[in-house]
Amino acid sequence: MKCYECAKNGKDTDAVGICIVCGEGVCKDHLKREKIPLWDGEFDVKLRCMGESCKLKDVDPQLKILCTKCHYALVENK
């Protein structure tokens, strides 16, 4: 898979991740990886704990990969 942003600019760069919001492939120069605000609503993916020691309050937010456009829309554009 190639980076979508690089391809728009005529470059041939391998993607190292996929934006969790828009699904674009992104290279290391066009991604942001950090904790993002919580989302409200229904999602196709359901998470569940397994085992006695797993408590929902103990689950930490995971780092997410976003393309630069979605990062701006969700985090920087407050």
Side-chain angles (χ1 to χ4, degrees), residues 1-61:
M1 181 184 294
K2 301 296 180 183
C3 175
Y4 182 78
E5 288 298 316
C6 286
K8 286 192 332 187
N9 296 319
K11 296 180 184 175
D12 185 27
T13 310
D14 289 333
V16 296
I18 298 173
C19 177
I20 64 160
V21 176
C22 68
E24 289 181 1
V26 287
C27 68
K28 63 181 175 150
D29 294 329
H30 289 114
L31 70 78
K32 301 285 185 177
R33 186 169 180 259
E34 64 184 51
K35 294 178 183 176
I36 62 169
L38 295 175
W39 296 359
D40 287 332
E42 290 295 319
F43 302 99
D44 293 336
V45 177
K46 302 291 183 196
L47 300 176
R48 65 184 171 99
C49 291
M50 297 186 67
E52 293 283 328
S53 62
C54 184
K55 306 279 189 229
L56 287 177
K57 65 180 179 168
D58 296 333
V59 176
D60 291 330

